[in-house]
Amino acid sequence: MKVLVIGGDGYCGWATALYLSNRGYEVGILDSLVRRHWDTQLGIDTLTPIAPIRQRIQRWKDLTGKHIDLFVGDITDYQFLLGALQQFEPEAIVHFGEQRSAPFSMIDRDHAVLTQVNNVVGTLNLLYVIKEHFPDCHLVKLGTMGEYGTPNIDIEEGYITIEHNGRTDTLPYPKQPGSFYHLSKVHDSHNIHFACRVWGLRATDLNQGIVYGVLTEETGMDEMLVNRLDYDDVFGTALNRFCIQAAIGHPLTVYGSGSQTRGMLDIRDTVRCVELAVSNPAEPGQFRVFNQFTESFSIQGLAMQVKQAGNALGLNVEIQNLANPRVELEEHYYNAKNTNLLDLGLQPHFLSDSLLDSLLNFAVKYKQRVDRDVIMPKVSWHR
Ligand code: NAD
Ligand code: USQ
């Protein structure tokens, strides 16, 4: 099957492109490389030194004999997108190509607008190109668990059956996202759902939790295939950050009480979940939603686990509860469903097995590359 991975130079996309290529899919990567540009603008860098995209792809071919097509351009440019798709003719498109940081989207008006235009227009272009030229192509779109927010009821997978004034219907689950970035994902979900209902497109929205770890079978094959690992205050996510903080002796930066609870998954499960979605496509007209996470943790609980594992390695790990720069519920109910992917055969990796191999060991190996000035949070949600 021919699969185009949009955002294939990024953290989830690079690992997924190699995973699919290794399993015999014909893979193309489409990426504007804008993430590398944003890193330069913000003065940040991945912990792990990543090779330029052409070199990475060439190294993959030299090692495995497998070719990956490359299209460099921006999906908000419709003519570019159309040209790339007409050349590659995908049967499935995995769409990771968005601005994905909540703090980035909350820096100021410009970053909020950039995030929503980039994400919403890019996805809308994709829907049009599929409708006009590839109506049978299956869109696998990365959404996020944060679309739901933290409601005081169980979180279902995309839809909820509601009884109201004696009548019953199954409707899209209510959304209460926590940043302009997370809102862009909600807008995307609505647009994709509409395109499925009205044009009969087929799509799967993968509402992914927070991804951790850096190692997959393929990216671990060679130093030049290494994946990115962000630890800065804008693109770094909590657990990945905590491991790097532990490695350099910086107190773990828990925001507020740390009682916030989130769904999480190992990057090795990200790539597997995407393959499960691609190899079991949605029906024409169907808008499926899968909640893509394997375990839920409180942020304070994660910090405690890193402290324990770090101390066992001889690191001296402290936890610091900072004033929360975000506006979010810290004490809340959290019970999210995640059975759709398990039913398709997902066999999860668990954090207790991955913390050392896929995170702390990498953090220690590359700790000389850490810039301590980009660790404390600088972006605030408060007025
Ligand atoms: P990333 O920033 O590492 O990668 C995104 C890639 O998309 C980058 O290479 C970037 O250059 C590219 N891109 C962005 N806008 C583009 C555009 N307009 N045209 C072409 N390419 C563009 O992000 P990631 O962590 O790999 O996340 C990938 C996707 O998964 C995102 O949609 C994100 O919202 C979602 N997601 C990520 C996580 C996580 O923890 N990393 C969790 C849940 C969901
Ligand atoms: N947090 C800390 N300390 C830190 C960083 C974060 O306590 O140093 C807290 C935040 O306040 C928040 C939680 O940890 O309560 C998660 O924050 P995060 O930065 O790890 O993740 P988030 O902003 O939610 O975004 C990340 C990805 C995004 C994806 C999302 C999945 O960047 O692309 O959509 O995870 S989810 O959280 O399910 O929406």
Side-chain angles (χ1 to χ4, degrees):
M1 192 195 285
K2 296 186 82 168
V3 185
L4 185 68
V5 180
I6 300 181
D9 187 46
Y11 173 53
C12 300
W14 176 241
T16 301
L18 296 192
Y19 181 85
L20 294 175
S21 174
N22 210 17
R23 270 149 199 81
Y25 292 85
E26 267 184 70
V27 175
I29 286 179
L30 187 157
D31 201 299
S32 62
L33 311 182
V34 68
R35 178 57 212 285
R36 292 179 188 245
H37 171 67
W38 290 329
D39 284 1
T40 309
Q41 278 189 329
L42 293 168
I44 57 175
D45 201 1
T46 149
L47 176 78
T48 40
I50 55 171
I53 182 72
R54 282 178 205 288
Q55 286 181 22
R56 295 173 125 181
I57 290 177
Q58 186 59 46
R59 185 75 189 129
W60 176 247
K61 189 170 184 179
D62 293 344
L63 268 180
T64 63
K66 294 175 196 300
H67 173 78
I68 294 179
D69 281 310
L70 176 64
F71 303 90
V72 176
D74 190 324
I75 61 168
T76 63
D77 173 350
Y78 188 76
Q79 289 312 318
F80 159 76
L81 178 64
L82 175 60
L85 262 69
Q86 280 176 332
Q87 206 177 317
F88 187 73
E89 299 187 323
E91 295 162 86
I93 296 177
V94 183
H95 179 20
F96 291 106
E98 300 203 324
Q99 191 302 98
R100 69 108 174 123
S101 155
F104 184 99
S105 75
M106 300 297 290
I107 292 175
D108 56 16
R109 189 202 67 91
D110 287 350
H111 288 80
V113 171
L114 184 163
T115 299
Q116 294 214 348
V117 170
N118 186 66
N119 296 0
V120 177
V121 173
T123 299
L124 201 49
N125 278 347
L126 205 45
L127 293 172
Y128 264 94
V129 85
I130 293 173
K131 171 207 169 217
E132 302 283 342
H133 300 276
F134 304 93
D136 209 35
C137 180
H138 176 209
L139 174 62
V140 176
K141 164 69 169 52
L142 271 289
T144 176
M145 285 302 293
E147 291 183 40
Y148 300 115
T150 50
N152 197 30
I153 56 172
D154 294 347
I155 294 174
E156 305 296 326
E157 300 201 57
Y159 299 92
I160 184 168
T161 300
I162 298 175
E163 202 193 306
H164 181 64
N165 292 345
R167 302 183 66 82
T168 303
D169 203 351
T170 298
L171 298 165
Y173 194 95
K175 306 283 177 78
Q176 299 183 91
S179 72
F180 285 120
Y181 152 70
H182 287 96
L183 274 156
S184 76
K185 295 289 196 187
V186 174
H187 306 328
D188 282 342
S189 295
H190 286 146
N191 288 344
I192 302 169
H193 192 181
F194 179 79
C196 292
R197 275 188 286 130
V198 173
W199 298 333
L201 303 194
R202 49 170 94 208
T204 304
D205 206 355
L206 297 175
N207 280 347
Q208 186 170 237
I210 308 173
V211 183
Y212 60 81
V214 66
L215 191 61
T216 56
E217 187 189 328
E218 293 77 18
T219 60
M221 283 183 190
D222 188 89
E223 194 85 358
M224 210 184 265
L225 300 177
V226 75
N227 203 350
R228 65 159 52 245
L229 188 59
D230 301 310
Y231 66 90
D232 60 277
D233 62 311
V234 173
F235 279 99
T237 49
L239 176 60
N240 291 349
R241 270 161 66 70
F242 291 167
C243 289
I244 291 149
Q245 293 164 358
I248 61 162
H250 190 291
L252 309 189
T253 56
V254 172
Y255 299 165
S257 70
S259 304
Q260 310 89 298
T261 300
R262 298 289 184 269
M264 321 258 314
L265 74 164
D266 188 308
I267 189 154
R268 291 173 292 187
D269 291 334
T270 293
V271 301
R272 176 75 181 124
C273 288
V274 171
E275 192 202 2
L276 285 170
V278 166
S279 60
N280 297 279
E283 297 297 325
Q286 189 185 14
F287 177 64
R288 290 189 307 197
V289 183
F290 296 166
N291 290 347
Q292 181 168 312
F293 70 95
T294 56
E295 296 177 279
S296 303
F297 299 100
S298 75
I299 301 298
Q300 184 75 20
L302 288 174
M304 298 295 290
Q305 287 199 46
V306 173
K307 184 179 160 94
Q308 242 174 27
N311 288 347
L313 278 183
L315 305 167
N316 182 19
V317 184
E318 300 292 332
I319 298 175
Q320 189 181 7
N321 288 84
L322 304 171
N324 196 335
R326 304 190 185 192
V327 176
E328 60 185 358
L329 288 183
E330 291 174 12
E331 310 292 330
H332 61 85
Y333 176 77
Y334 197 80
N335 183 30
K337 304 282 171 65
N338 63 349
T339 52
N340 284 343
L341 283 158
L342 296 170
D343 290 347
L344 286 177
L346 176 67
Q347 290 179 326
H349 293 84
F350 294 111
L351 177 60
S352 48
D353 302 326
S354 327
L355 200 48
L356 285 178
D357 283 355
S358 194
L359 270 173
L360 273 170
N361 289 340
F362 271 80
V364 170
K365 178 172 175 191
Y366 291 105
K367 69 178 183 184
Q368 293 79 3
R369 287 175 48 87
V370 174
D371 176 357
R372 299 180 77 95
D373 289 346
V374 300
I375 288 185
M376 291 300 271
K378 287 167 211 70
V379 181
S380 172
W381 268 232
H382 301 274
R383 277 208 298 152

